[in-house]
Amino acid sequence: DAIGFTRTKTGTNAVLNALLTEMDGFKRINTKPVFVMAATNLKGIDRALERRFDRSFMVGLPNEEGRKWILEKLLKRHVEKFRISEKEIESIVVRSRGLSPADLENMIETALREGIRNGTVIEDAMLDEIFERCNFGERKEENSEKEIKRIAYHEVGHALIELYYGREPEHMSIIARGNYGGYVQGAQLKENPTKERLLQKICMCLGGRAAELEFGYGITVGAGSDLENATQIATWMVCEYGMYEDEIGLAVITKEE
């Protein structure tokens, strides 16, 4: 990762150039062939380096089945330190969508350190808290009762829209962490969502602000990330998916346009 990035016209990468020369030398060894294997998270890998490898393939992030297998394997390594229910495992598997195996391992290692520090066995509540902390940050304890109620109404607004369209939210929290007051994780979009489903997702994003207005909190900054998500979905529908052919047309529209 440190040396494999794409070279530019104005910049040089002496270490990469040396590596490419060395790898070319491997091809001349017939009696004792050398096999080179490498892995990287780097997206802009240099094309000359990539061509030195006969085969390359992408390993995507694990799906639910994969995440469950990884999580259970990590827990079994330290079975004497964990007492985790099947329900909690299923909950974390669903909520960890988009996380890598390294992210899951970091969560387990963090739980182990905390358990050793406290001299306790790690149970559901402790692992759940660590999962939330690793993904969203430390709890914010300074919120007033009024602010906690506003957050609760906001998140319930999201959840009600999801329920209205016949889908049960996967998880909901009103604990403020990092830049979030709370969150609702709605049902996952399918690989090829319909226009109707995307519009429902936009409505779900806007449910929080609607609830705040309904209960007299006025317009607050709490809907910032919701509006960002709704705008992103709307942009995909108009600019990439051609879902408004009559109004806009079928051409793909870039941000610059």
Side-chain angles (χ1 to χ4, degrees):
D1 290 3
I3 64 173
F5 54 85
T6 301
R7 292 167 293 182
T8 63
K9 292 180 180 179
T10 57
T12 59
N13 189 334
V15 179
L16 177 58
N17 291 337
L19 175 62
L20 295 176
T21 302
E22 295 289 344
M23 291 182 71
D24 286 339
F26 293 154
K27 295 181 179 179
R28 301 186 180 93
I29 304 174
N30 296 322
T31 55
K32 295 182 179 180
V34 177
F35 294 89
V36 180
M37 297 178 64
T40 180
N41 293 324
L42 192 64
K43 292 184 179 179
I45 190 171
D46 190 86
R47 291 289 296 165
L49 177 59
E50 191 173 358
R51 286 196 299 270
R52 294 307 194 279
F53 294 91
D54 295 324
R55 294 184 181 180
S56 63
F57 56 91
M58 181 179 291
V59 179
L61 293 171
N63 57 17
E64 280 195 17
E65 183 180 354
R67 293 196 301 275
K68 184 174 182 180
W69 181 85
I70 292 166
L71 190 57
E72 289 178 340
K73 184 178 179 181
L74 291 170
L75 291 172
K76 284 178 181 177
R77 284 184 189 172
H78 310 280
V79 65
E80 73 284 356
K81 299 291 185 181
F82 289 91
R83 194 177 295 128
I84 307 301
S85 68
E86 186 65 26
K87 182 178 180 181
E88 179 64 18
I89 292 175
E90 292 290 347
S91 175
I92 290 179
V93 166
V94 170
R95 290 149 58 196
S96 59
R97 187 188 311 141
L99 297 187
S100 68
D103 293 325
L104 295 173
E105 187 171 10
N106 177 62
M107 177 193 67
I108 296 299
E109 292 295 329
T110 302
L112 275 172
R113 288 194 297 271
E114 191 142 330
I116 292 170
R117 189 182 303 118
N118 298 333
T120 59
V121 173
I122 299 124
E123 297 185 334
D124 288 3
M126 184 175 175
L127 186 62
D128 201 90
E129 170 65 21
I130 289 169
F131 174 82
E132 292 285 298
R133 189 197 309 162
C134 289
N135 286 283
F136 303 107
E138 296 285 348
R139 289 180 179 230
K140 290 182 178 178
E141 304 291 354
E142 66 272 16
N143 283 343
S144 64
E145 183 178 345
K146 180 180 179 181
E147 179 63 9
I148 293 172
K149 281 186 176 182
R150 184 196 65 78
I151 293 170
Y153 282 126
H154 182 104
E155 303 307 334
V156 166
H158 291 308
L160 284 175
I161 298 297
E162 194 79 339
L163 289 168
Y164 177 80
Y165 288 119
R167 296 177 179 85
E168 184 175 340
E170 294 175 344
H171 189 72
M172 177 177 175
S173 173
I174 62 169
I175 297 174
R177 298 175 184 273
N179 296 324
Y180 297 93
Y183 72 96
V184 171
Q185 183 168 316
Q188 183 178 9
L189 286 172
K190 295 181 179 179
E191 288 187 14
N192 294 296
T194 63
K195 178 180 178 180
E196 180 184 17
R197 176 69 181 113
L198 290 172
L199 287 173
Q200 291 174 2
K201 198 69 175 178
I202 290 175
C203 288
M204 191 259 196
C205 290
L206 302 178
R209 168 158 287 183
E212 288 189 42
L213 290 171
E214 181 69 23
F215 286 94
Y217 289 95
I219 296 177
T220 72
V221 299
S225 60
D226 299 331
L227 296 175
E228 184 179 353
N229 291 335
T231 302
Q232 181 64 74
I233 295 171
T235 301
W236 291 336
M237 295 174 70
V238 173
C239 300
E240 296 184 28
Y241 302 152
M243 291 182 170
Y244 288 87
E245 180 180 357
D246 294 337
E247 299 87 343
I248 306 296
L250 287 174
V252 174
I253 304 171
T254 64
K255 290 183 179 180
E256 290 74 17
E257 294 172 319

